Amino acid sequence: MIEGLPALYIFMLSAFTGYEVISRVPVILHTPLMSGSNFVHGIVLVGAMIVMGSAEGPLQLTIGFIAVAMAAGNAVGGYVATVRMLEMFQHSPKKGAQ
Amino acid sequence: MNYIIDAVYFLTAAIFIIGLKQMSSPVTAHRGIVWAGIAMVVASLATFGAPEISLEVSSINLQLMLVAIVAGSTVAYISAKRVAMTDMPQMIAMYNGMGGGAAAAIAAVELVKLSAGGESHGLTIQILAVLGAVIGAISFSGSAVAFAKLQGLMKKTLRLPLHQIMNIALFVAVCVFGYLVATSHTVSFDHVIIFFVLAIVLGVMLTLPIGGADMPVVISLFNALTGLAVAFEGFVLNNAAMIIAGTVVGSSGTLLTQLMAKAMNRPISNVLFSSFGSDSGVAAEEDIEGSMKEIQANDAAIMMAYGQKVIIVPGYGMAVAQAQHKLKEMGDLLEARGVDVKYAIHPVAGRMPGHMNVLLAEAGVDYDNILDLEEVNPEFPTADVALVIGANDVVNPVARTNPDSPIYGMPILDADKAQNVIVIKRGKGSGFSGIENHLFYADNTRMLYGDGKKAVGELIAGIKLLS
């Protein structure tokens, strides 16, 4: 069980990590990066699956179904969108300094 | 088995962080997203082994779950594959909204379980579930409104009478019902329903008055909020991957939002709580000296073809007209004539930071020639022609000169300092913010009216005539 102070530590350290990872990113990658982080929170799919797995009764099952479907959409859509954007950067490989 | 699943979640979180790090450099970015994608697939597969999920194929939960995964994935896959690059911003808003909605739905299931007499996992967990629910629900409905606006399904800004007061009242009501749901031992089902409805309405109300020009900031903010909501629900479900990935997105998204807001020189609070054109003082017309002077495509082509240096300033209009490929073709023609061609990108040009870069990259423009604000501004005075295509507010000199203007203080591209300015524009109207652009009236500015793609096509024809 992750709770109490350790939970707070994880939260704090993750927050700093996120800040640090982004802090020196060139402007041209802002949109792909936003899209990429949009994909990363698609991990909510795992939680939606767990919740739906233990759902009881039609109401819980329905909400769980919505959760899983939306989470899957987040993950897949986020991935495809990011890859499509990043592929464009591969068409123009970096030339040597002019 | 549980140890293996926990190990998978742990590795997933680690790979996400490495993937995001790789995504912050153009060279490794593609590898980063592929790694993260693999980690996501493995984590999802591992979740089928979680103790909460019955692996019996006869389980209705499992069957429906597979249907949900296939349905959600298919819809998202097809839409993401099909959408034009120019419409990417609203698609990101939509996928983000789905993530926020999923986080809120997770909380909803947990709270409904409690209301049905389920065992509480403690006050802290209940509070976190409610917090994640509010944030997720706001992100869900707010992103939906952002999508509708960018997709053109909805008016750009909409303010109801007493909008601000209604928002405050809604916010208080959400807090009250959130408090009731989070702190009671026997959660009332009705309270849960009211709570979610209020939170969803609040998301809509917060986003309605925000103008299209501010949408990049708002989408980025909702992205960060979804991350936070996922993290909170991760605490509720005791899932390390959700906690770490959600928090990382929450903080990196917040930083990204700040960077964007800073580029527009508007604090985030300003973006959220006041909208352009809301105070009537802004609309008051100031006197503008000079008049708009039209130019024909052939003359414009000659100006550029015989120049030493041309700086192209693209904006959202270029994206709408899908003119990036034509623009690249024109740039190549000019370069073949020995003209130095550069592209100047304002941090908030388009609907998202980097939107223009993505489009120009799509067209195959070498990114050594794409300059950002700090790099390019010193170059304008030595440029023979600044070609503004579909950009407006980001080249409006009143941001430097008129303290009364709502965009005063926003860093702009100094296109007006070039020897000659050619503006390709669809019509005579003002920009997204509704502010008159003094650049269009300047002595050294010529207007080339027409659809961006068609106008550039004419320019290309004009340049070809010369060789």
Side-chain angles (χ1 to χ4, degrees):
Chain A
M1 201 67 184
I2 307 164
E3 57 186 12
L5 269 186
L8 211 56
Y9 288 145
I10 295 177
F11 188 69
M12 184 191 74
L13 290 174
S14 304
F16 278 122
T17 307
Y19 211 83
E20 203 49 42
V21 161
I22 297 283
S23 57
R24 275 179 299 275
V25 59
V27 177
I28 63 163
L29 283 176
H30 275 181
T31 299
L33 197 64
M34 181 149 108
S35 179
S37 61
N38 180 27
F39 162 70
V40 164
H41 65 53
I43 192 68
V44 70
L45 174 60
V46 166
M49 287 169 68
I50 290 173
V51 157
M52 190 180 175
S54 59
E56 289 161 8
L59 177 64
Q60 289 179 23
L61 206 53
T62 308
I63 306 174
F65 185 89
I66 296 170
V68 172
M70 287 205 291
N74 180 190
V76 173
Y79 182 82
V80 176
T82 311
V83 167
R84 273 189 63 189
M85 274 184 222
L86 288 176
E87 271 170 354
M88 286 167 191
F89 289 101
Q90 292 186 319
H91 296 314
S92 54
K94 189 102 183 154
K95 285 197 296 193
Q98 291 175 346
Chain B
M1 190 63 185
N2 284 355
Y3 286 110
I4 300 174
I5 295 171
D6 280 341
V8 168
Y9 288 157
F10 174 78
L11 280 176
T12 303
I15 293 174
F16 279 166
I17 293 172
I18 297 169
L20 276 177
K21 181 75 204 164
Q22 289 185 326
M23 269 185 252
S24 37
S25 152
V27 187
T28 55
H30 192 261
R31 200 187 316 153
I33 183 71
V34 172
W35 278 35
I38 294 170
M40 183 79 81
V41 171
V42 173
S44 314
L45 290 178
T47 307
F48 281 110
E52 291 87 351
I53 297 179
S54 148
L55 266 182
E56 282 172 41
V57 186
S58 59
S59 151
I60 182 81
N61 289 33
L62 187 65
Q63 290 172 354
L64 283 177
M65 193 188 298
L66 291 173
V67 173
I69 292 175
V70 171
S73 306
T74 311
V75 170
Y77 182 84
I78 293 173
S79 60
K81 274 280 180 197
R82 278 209 186 145
V83 65
M85 227 45 218
T86 38
D87 292 337
M88 244 354 156
Q90 55 262 48
M91 296 316 284
I92 292 180
M94 194 179 86
Y95 302 136
N96 174 54
M98 291 167 107
I106 289 173
V109 173
E110 292 292 314
L111 293 172
V112 167
K113 272 183 194 167
L114 283 181
S115 76
E119 191 190 345
S120 172
H121 298 293
L123 184 66
T124 323
I125 294 296
Q126 230 167 306
I127 293 174
L128 284 171
V130 165
L131 276 178
V134 178
I135 299 171
I138 289 177
S139 173
F140 167 70
S141 56
S143 297
V145 173
F147 171 81
K149 281 187 181 186
L150 290 176
Q151 190 72 17
L153 303 172
M154 194 184 242
K155 245 186 77 187
K156 278 160 195 148
T157 58
L158 185 64
R159 293 191 135 244
L160 303 176
L162 302 176
H163 203 108
Q164 218 70 280
I165 292 165
M166 279 163 68
N167 277 358
I168 292 167
L170 259 176
F171 180 73
V172 172
V174 169
C175 288
V176 169
F177 279 93
Y179 177 83
L180 284 176
V181 173
T183 57
S184 39
H185 288 289
T186 49
V187 177
S188 149
F189 181 73
D190 294 341
H191 287 174
V192 174
I193 298 289
I194 297 172
F195 163 71
F196 273 103
V197 170
L198 285 173
I200 288 173
V201 174
L202 181 60
V204 173
M205 290 287 285
L206 279 174
T207 322
L208 274 182
I210 299 174
D214 289 330
M215 271 307 152
V217 184
V218 174
I219 295 174
S220 174
L221 183 68
F222 284 144
N223 189 36
L225 286 179
T226 303
L228 203 58
V230 171
F232 285 162
E233 299 312 324
F235 281 112
V236 174
L237 298 173
N238 196 25
N239 185 305
M242 281 171 74
I243 297 173
I244 298 174
T247 313
V248 166
V249 172
S251 68
S252 61
T254 308
L255 178 61
L256 209 52
T257 312
Q258 279 173 347
L259 290 176
M260 288 181 211
K262 205 171 140 197
M264 298 176 75
N265 201 36
R266 302 184 65 201
I268 296 168
S269 57
N270 205 342
V271 172
L272 284 179
F273 301 117
S274 73
S275 57
F276 271 8
S278 54
D279 29 356
S280 53
V282 172
E285 285 297 312
E286 327 124 57
D287 292 330
I288 299 172
E289 289 171 25
S291 59
M292 292 199 200
K293 294 163 285 287
E294 204 174 336
I295 189 171
Q296 295 307 314
N298 279 343
D299 300 325
I302 291 169
M303 264 164 89
M304 289 193 291
Y306 290 101
Q308 299 283 317
K309 180 150 88 179
V310 172
I311 300 179
I312 299 171
V313 183
Y316 189 63
M318 177 195 83
V320 172
Q322 297 273 17
Q324 61 270 31
H325 297 280
K326 285 276 176 199
L327 210 54
K328 151 85 171 148
E329 192 185 338
M330 189 193 79
D332 287 347
L333 279 175
L334 288 174
E335 272 177 344
R337 296 182 59 96
V339 182
D340 185 11
V341 179
K342 294 273 192 280
Y343 297 80
I345 313 282
H346 191 273
V348 294
R351 288 293 176 273
M352 271 200 210
H355 192 183
M356 292 301 127
N357 302 81
V358 172
L359 294 177
L360 291 176
E362 182 195 17
V365 173
D366 189 338
Y367 51 64
D368 284 334
N369 290 333
I370 302 178
L371 307 179
D372 63 23
L373 189 94
E374 286 86 16
E375 289 173 318
V376 81
N377 266 349
E379 302 222 9
F380 275 113
T382 60
D384 297 286
V385 177
L387 178 70
V388 178
I389 167 163
N392 194 338
D393 294 331
V394 297
V395 290
N396 193 343
V398 297
R400 283 199 311 260
T401 54
N402 183 357
D404 295 329
S405 169
I407 59 168
Y408 180 72
M410 177 170 96
I412 58 157
L413 291 166
D414 296 331
D416 55 318
K417 292 188 178 161
Q419 307 293 318
N420 299 286
V421 183
I422 298 169
V423 179
I424 299 179
K425 203 168 172 308
R426 195 116 56 109
K428 300 195 179 188
S430 52
F432 218 101
S433 59
I435 305 162
E436 278 290 348
N437 194 334
H438 288 225
L439 175 67
F440 300 164
Y441 298 88
D443 288 337
N444 57 344
T445 302
R446 296 293 178 273
M447 308 296 291
L448 179 57
Y449 291 113
D451 170 73
K453 197 170 177 178
K454 206 165 140 270
V456 178
E458 287 166 10
L459 287 175
I460 291 172
I463 296 167
K464 278 183 178 161
L465 279 181
L466 303 171
S467 50

PDB file of all heavy atoms in Angstrom, chain A residues 26-28, chain B residues 343-347 357 367 369-380 413:
ATOM      1  N   PRO A  26      13.373  22.426 -26.817  1.00  0.00           N
ATOM      2  CA  PRO A  26      13.253  23.474 -27.831  1.00  0.00           C
ATOM      3  C   PRO A  26      11.792  23.705 -28.204  1.00  0.00           C
ATOM      4  O   PRO A  26      10.974  22.790 -28.137  1.00  0.00           O
ATOM      5  CB  PRO A  26      14.026  22.902 -29.017  1.00  0.00           C
ATOM      6  CG  PRO A  26      14.090  21.438 -28.800  1.00  0.00           C
ATOM      7  CD  PRO A  26      14.042  21.220 -27.318  1.00  0.00           C
ATOM      8  N   VAL A  27      11.506  24.951 -28.605  1.00  0.00           N
ATOM      9  CA  VAL A  27      10.116  25.325 -28.914  1.00  0.00           C
ATOM     10  C   VAL A  27       9.495  24.412 -29.970  1.00  0.00           C
ATOM     11  O   VAL A  27       8.326  24.068 -29.899  1.00  0.00           O
ATOM     12  CB  VAL A  27      10.051  26.789 -29.391  1.00  0.00           C
ATOM     13  CG1 VAL A  27       8.636  27.165 -29.776  1.00  0.00           C
ATOM     14  CG2 VAL A  27      10.546  27.713 -28.296  1.00  0.00           C
ATOM     15  N   ILE A  28      10.327  23.980 -30.939  1.00  0.00           N
ATOM     16  CA  ILE A  28       9.743  23.198 -32.036  1.00  0.00           C
ATOM     17  C   ILE A  28       9.157  21.888 -31.539  1.00  0.00           C
ATOM     18  O   ILE A  28       8.343  21.287 -32.210  1.00  0.00           O
ATOM     19  CB  ILE A  28      10.758  22.887 -33.167  1.00  0.00           C
ATOM     20  CG1 ILE A  28      11.908  22.018 -32.658  1.00  0.00           C
ATOM     21  CG2 ILE A  28      11.262  24.131 -33.806  1.00  0.00           C
ATOM     22  CD1 ILE A  28      12.670  21.364 -33.791  1.00  0.00           C
TER      23      ILE A  28
ATOM     24  N   TYR B 343      12.384  31.178 -42.045  1.00  0.00           N
ATOM     25  CA  TYR B 343      11.015  31.117 -41.531  1.00  0.00           C
ATOM     26  C   TYR B 343      11.036  31.578 -40.079  1.00  0.00           C
ATOM     27  O   TYR B 343      11.861  31.121 -39.284  1.00  0.00           O
ATOM     28  CB  TYR B 343      10.466  29.699 -41.614  1.00  0.00           C
ATOM     29  CG  TYR B 343      10.368  29.194 -43.034  1.00  0.00           C
ATOM     30  CD1 TYR B 343      11.499  28.707 -43.695  1.00  0.00           C
ATOM     31  CD2 TYR B 343       9.164  29.229 -43.725  1.00  0.00           C
ATOM     32  CE1 TYR B 343      11.417  28.264 -45.004  1.00  0.00           C
ATOM     33  CE2 TYR B 343       9.075  28.785 -45.031  1.00  0.00           C
ATOM     34  CZ  TYR B 343      10.206  28.295 -45.664  1.00  0.00           C
ATOM     35  OH  TYR B 343      10.126  27.864 -46.962  1.00  0.00           O
ATOM     36  N   ALA B 344      10.144  32.492 -39.741  1.00  0.00           N
ATOM     37  CA  ALA B 344      10.113  33.028 -38.379  1.00  0.00           C
ATOM     38  C   ALA B 344       8.864  32.527 -37.673  1.00  0.00           C
ATOM     39  O   ALA B 344       7.747  32.724 -38.150  1.00  0.00           O
ATOM     40  CB  ALA B 344      10.111  34.559 -38.422  1.00  0.00           C
ATOM     41  N   ILE B 345       9.065  31.842 -36.569  1.00  0.00           N
ATOM     42  CA  ILE B 345       7.927  31.255 -35.865  1.00  0.00           C
ATOM     43  C   ILE B 345       7.735  31.928 -34.519  1.00  0.00           C
ATOM     44  O   ILE B 345       8.619  31.903 -33.663  1.00  0.00           O
ATOM     45  CB  ILE B 345       8.148  29.746 -35.620  1.00  0.00           C
ATOM     46  CG1 ILE B 345       8.622  29.064 -36.887  1.00  0.00           C
ATOM     47  CG2 ILE B 345       6.873  29.121 -35.080  1.00  0.00           C
ATOM     48  CD1 ILE B 345       7.580  28.789 -37.895  1.00  0.00           C
ATOM     49  N   HIS B 346       6.575  32.500 -34.350  1.00  0.00           N
ATOM     50  CA  HIS B 346       6.230  33.042 -33.036  1.00  0.00           C
ATOM     51  C   HIS B 346       5.834  31.881 -32.125  1.00  0.00           C
ATOM     52  O   HIS B 346       5.215  30.921 -32.578  1.00  0.00           O
ATOM     53  CB  HIS B 346       5.068  34.020 -33.186  1.00  0.00           C
ATOM     54  CG  HIS B 346       4.812  34.812 -31.943  1.00  0.00           C
ATOM     55  ND1 HIS B 346       3.999  34.362 -30.937  1.00  0.00           N
ATOM     56  CD2 HIS B 346       5.280  36.019 -31.525  1.00  0.00           C
ATOM     57  CE1 HIS B 346       3.983  35.270 -29.967  1.00  0.00           C
ATOM     58  NE2 HIS B 346       4.751  36.280 -30.306  1.00  0.00           N
ATOM     59  N   PRO B 347       6.200  31.977 -30.837  1.00  0.00           N
ATOM     60  CA  PRO B 347       5.904  30.856 -29.935  1.00  0.00           C
ATOM     61  C   PRO B 347       4.426  30.460 -29.909  1.00  0.00           C
ATOM     62  O   PRO B 347       4.112  29.306 -29.677  1.00  0.00           O
ATOM     63  CB  PRO B 347       6.332  31.373 -28.566  1.00  0.00           C
ATOM     64  CG  PRO B 347       7.272  32.486 -28.825  1.00  0.00           C
ATOM     65  CD  PRO B 347       6.966  33.035 -30.181  1.00  0.00           C
ATOM     66  N   ASN B 357       5.865  24.798 -36.660  1.00  0.00           N
ATOM     67  CA  ASN B 357       7.050  23.977 -36.899  1.00  0.00           C
ATOM     68  C   ASN B 357       6.666  22.614 -37.436  1.00  0.00           C
ATOM     69  O   ASN B 357       7.295  22.084 -38.343  1.00  0.00           O
ATOM     70  CB  ASN B 357       7.834  23.795 -35.597  1.00  0.00           C
ATOM     71  CG  ASN B 357       8.245  25.111 -34.988  1.00  0.00           C
ATOM     72  OD1 ASN B 357       7.440  25.753 -34.326  1.00  0.00           O
ATOM     73  ND2 ASN B 357       9.464  25.524 -35.250  1.00  0.00           N
ATOM     74  N   TYR B 367      14.883  22.323 -40.746  1.00  0.00           N
ATOM     75  CA  TYR B 367      14.629  23.105 -39.550  1.00  0.00           C
ATOM     76  C   TYR B 367      15.780  23.997 -39.104  1.00  0.00           C
ATOM     77  O   TYR B 367      15.664  24.719 -38.144  1.00  0.00           O
ATOM     78  CB  TYR B 367      14.014  22.329 -38.392  1.00  0.00           C
ATOM     79  CG  TYR B 367      14.656  21.055 -37.952  1.00  0.00           C
ATOM     80  CD1 TYR B 367      15.920  21.025 -37.418  1.00  0.00           C
ATOM     81  CD2 TYR B 367      13.934  19.866 -38.019  1.00  0.00           C
ATOM     82  CE1 TYR B 367      16.470  19.833 -36.988  1.00  0.00           C
ATOM     83  CE2 TYR B 367      14.482  18.682 -37.594  1.00  0.00           C
ATOM     84  CZ  TYR B 367      15.750  18.672 -37.079  1.00  0.00           C
ATOM     85  OH  TYR B 367      16.288  17.499 -36.642  1.00  0.00           O
ATOM     86  N   ASN B 369      16.482  26.384 -40.995  1.00  0.00           N
ATOM     87  CA  ASN B 369      15.989  27.653 -41.524  1.00  0.00           C
ATOM     88  C   ASN B 369      14.784  28.180 -40.753  1.00  0.00           C
ATOM     89  O   ASN B 369      14.256  29.227 -41.072  1.00  0.00           O
ATOM     90  CB  ASN B 369      15.604  27.497 -42.999  1.00  0.00           C
ATOM     91  CG  ASN B 369      16.832  27.308 -43.866  1.00  0.00           C
ATOM     92  OD1 ASN B 369      17.917  27.760 -43.507  1.00  0.00           O
ATOM     93  ND2 ASN B 369      16.670  26.613 -44.994  1.00  0.00           N
ATOM     94  N   ILE B 370      14.350  27.404 -39.771  1.00  0.00           N
ATOM     95  CA  ILE B 370      13.198  27.830 -38.983  1.00  0.00           C
ATOM     96  C   ILE B 370      13.725  28.470 -37.694  1.00  0.00           C
ATOM     97  O   ILE B 370      14.388  27.816 -36.900  1.00  0.00           O
ATOM     98  CB  ILE B 370      12.289  26.627 -38.660  1.00  0.00           C
ATOM     99  CG1 ILE B 370      11.834  25.974 -39.951  1.00  0.00           C
ATOM    100  CG2 ILE B 370      11.113  27.069 -37.820  1.00  0.00           C
ATOM    101  CD1 ILE B 370      10.963  24.750 -39.757  1.00  0.00           C
ATOM    102  N   LEU B 371      13.443  29.740 -37.540  1.00  0.00           N
ATOM    103  CA  LEU B 371      14.006  30.469 -36.406  1.00  0.00           C
ATOM    104  C   LEU B 371      12.912  30.857 -35.428  1.00  0.00           C
ATOM    105  O   LEU B 371      11.778  31.120 -35.830  1.00  0.00           O
ATOM    106  CB  LEU B 371      14.715  31.735 -36.896  1.00  0.00           C
ATOM    107  CG  LEU B 371      15.762  31.533 -37.989  1.00  0.00           C
ATOM    108  CD1 LEU B 371      16.355  32.868 -38.396  1.00  0.00           C
ATOM    109  CD2 LEU B 371      16.863  30.591 -37.505  1.00  0.00           C
ATOM    110  N   ASP B 372      13.236  30.901 -34.150  1.00  0.00           N
ATOM    111  CA  ASP B 372      12.240  31.374 -33.204  1.00  0.00           C
ATOM    112  C   ASP B 372      12.437  32.866 -32.926  1.00  0.00           C
ATOM    113  O   ASP B 372      13.323  33.512 -33.474  1.00  0.00           O
ATOM    114  CB  ASP B 372      12.212  30.508 -31.937  1.00  0.00           C
ATOM    115  CG  ASP B 372      13.518  30.561 -31.173  1.00  0.00           C
ATOM    116  OD1 ASP B 372      14.244  31.548 -31.348  1.00  0.00           O
ATOM    117  OD2 ASP B 372      13.799  29.616 -30.425  1.00  0.00           O
ATOM    118  N   LEU B 373      11.576  33.378 -32.095  1.00  0.00           N
ATOM    119  CA  LEU B 373      11.470  34.822 -31.889  1.00  0.00           C
ATOM    120  C   LEU B 373      12.806  35.503 -31.597  1.00  0.00           C
ATOM    121  O   LEU B 373      13.182  36.463 -32.275  1.00  0.00           O
ATOM    122  CB  LEU B 373      10.481  35.061 -30.739  1.00  0.00           C
ATOM    123  CG  LEU B 373      10.063  36.479 -30.481  1.00  0.00           C
ATOM    124  CD1 LEU B 373       8.781  36.761 -31.224  1.00  0.00           C
ATOM    125  CD2 LEU B 373       9.862  36.718 -29.006  1.00  0.00           C
ATOM    126  N   GLU B 374      13.552  34.980 -30.623  1.00  0.00           N
ATOM    127  CA  GLU B 374      14.795  35.649 -30.229  1.00  0.00           C
ATOM    128  C   GLU B 374      15.816  35.630 -31.352  1.00  0.00           C
ATOM    129  O   GLU B 374      16.561  36.577 -31.553  1.00  0.00           O
ATOM    130  CB  GLU B 374      15.419  34.994 -28.982  1.00  0.00           C
ATOM    131  CG  GLU B 374      14.715  35.301 -27.686  1.00  0.00           C
ATOM    132  CD  GLU B 374      13.574  34.335 -27.441  1.00  0.00           C
ATOM    133  OE1 GLU B 374      13.548  33.282 -28.103  1.00  0.00           O
ATOM    134  OE2 GLU B 374      12.697  34.643 -26.618  1.00  0.00           O
ATOM    135  N   GLU B 375      15.841  34.509 -32.087  1.00  0.00           N
ATOM    136  CA  GLU B 375      16.838  34.374 -33.150  1.00  0.00           C
ATOM    137  C   GLU B 375      16.532  35.298 -34.321  1.00  0.00           C
ATOM    138  O   GLU B 375      17.439  35.852 -34.938  1.00  0.00           O
ATOM    139  CB  GLU B 375      16.847  32.932 -33.678  1.00  0.00           C
ATOM    140  CG  GLU B 375      17.419  31.913 -32.721  1.00  0.00           C
ATOM    141  CD  GLU B 375      17.240  30.496 -33.247  1.00  0.00           C
ATOM    142  OE1 GLU B 375      16.159  30.170 -33.782  1.00  0.00           O
ATOM    143  OE2 GLU B 375      18.168  29.709 -33.121  1.00  0.00           O
ATOM    144  N   VAL B 376      15.262  35.449 -34.630  1.00  0.00           N
ATOM    145  CA  VAL B 376      14.919  36.076 -35.895  1.00  0.00           C
ATOM    146  C   VAL B 376      14.742  37.586 -35.792  1.00  0.00           C
ATOM    147  O   VAL B 376      14.974  38.308 -36.760  1.00  0.00           O
ATOM    148  CB  VAL B 376      13.678  35.406 -36.519  1.00  0.00           C
ATOM    149  CG1 VAL B 376      12.413  35.946 -35.897  1.00  0.00           C
ATOM    150  CG2 VAL B 376      13.660  35.588 -38.030  1.00  0.00           C
ATOM    151  N   ASN B 377      14.343  38.072 -34.635  1.00  0.00           N
ATOM    152  CA  ASN B 377      14.051  39.500 -34.546  1.00  0.00           C
ATOM    153  C   ASN B 377      15.213  40.409 -34.948  1.00  0.00           C
ATOM    154  O   ASN B 377      14.998  41.400 -35.638  1.00  0.00           O
ATOM    155  CB  ASN B 377      13.520  39.860 -33.156  1.00  0.00           C
ATOM    156  CG  ASN B 377      11.997  39.836 -33.136  1.00  0.00           C
ATOM    157  OD1 ASN B 377      11.367  39.747 -34.190  1.00  0.00           O
ATOM    158  ND2 ASN B 377      11.422  39.917 -31.957  1.00  0.00           N
ATOM    159  N   PRO B 378      16.462  40.079 -34.571  1.00  0.00           N
ATOM    160  CA  PRO B 378      17.572  40.935 -35.024  1.00  0.00           C
ATOM    161  C   PRO B 378      17.759  40.891 -36.544  1.00  0.00           C
ATOM    162  O   PRO B 378      18.441  41.744 -37.108  1.00  0.00           O
ATOM    163  CB  PRO B 378      18.799  40.324 -34.328  1.00  0.00           C
ATOM    164  CG  PRO B 378      18.265  39.470 -33.245  1.00  0.00           C
ATOM    165  CD  PRO B 378      16.919  39.012 -33.681  1.00  0.00           C
ATOM    166  N   GLU B 379      17.180  39.902 -37.220  1.00  0.00           N
ATOM    167  CA  GLU B 379      17.387  39.756 -38.664  1.00  0.00           C
ATOM    168  C   GLU B 379      16.419  40.577 -39.499  1.00  0.00           C
ATOM    169  O   GLU B 379      16.671  40.836 -40.670  1.00  0.00           O
ATOM    170  CB  GLU B 379      17.245  38.282 -39.055  1.00  0.00           C
ATOM    171  CG  GLU B 379      18.210  37.376 -38.318  1.00  0.00           C
ATOM    172  CD  GLU B 379      18.835  36.330 -39.227  1.00  0.00           C
ATOM    173  OE1 GLU B 379      18.649  36.432 -40.451  1.00  0.00           O
ATOM    174  OE2 GLU B 379      19.496  35.438 -38.689  1.00  0.00           O
ATOM    175  N   PHE B 380      15.292  40.972 -38.902  1.00  0.00           N
ATOM    176  CA  PHE B 380      14.287  41.680 -39.698  1.00  0.00           C
ATOM    177  C   PHE B 380      14.807  42.966 -40.346  1.00  0.00           C
ATOM    178  O   PHE B 380      14.533  43.210 -41.525  1.00  0.00           O
ATOM    179  CB  PHE B 380      13.036  41.961 -38.871  1.00  0.00           C
ATOM    180  CG  PHE B 380      12.071  40.801 -38.847  1.00  0.00           C
ATOM    181  CD1 PHE B 380      11.836  40.100 -37.679  1.00  0.00           C
ATOM    182  CD2 PHE B 380      11.411  40.411 -40.003  1.00  0.00           C
ATOM    183  CE1 PHE B 380      10.957  39.028 -37.662  1.00  0.00           C
ATOM    184  CE2 PHE B 380      10.529  39.340 -40.002  1.00  0.00           C
ATOM    185  CZ  PHE B 380      10.301  38.649 -38.824  1.00  0.00           C
ATOM    186  N   LEU B 413       6.929  39.353 -33.366  1.00  0.00           N
ATOM    187  CA  LEU B 413       7.926  39.300 -34.431  1.00  0.00           C
ATOM    188  C   LEU B 413       7.972  40.691 -35.062  1.00  0.00           C
ATOM    189  O   LEU B 413       6.945  41.240 -35.457  1.00  0.00           O
ATOM    190  CB  LEU B 413       7.524  38.260 -35.475  1.00  0.00           C
ATOM    191  CG  LEU B 413       7.585  36.802 -35.006  1.00  0.00           C
ATOM    192  CD1 LEU B 413       6.856  35.901 -35.985  1.00  0.00           C
ATOM    193  CD2 LEU B 413       9.027  36.345 -34.834  1.00  0.00           C
TER     194      LEU B 413
END
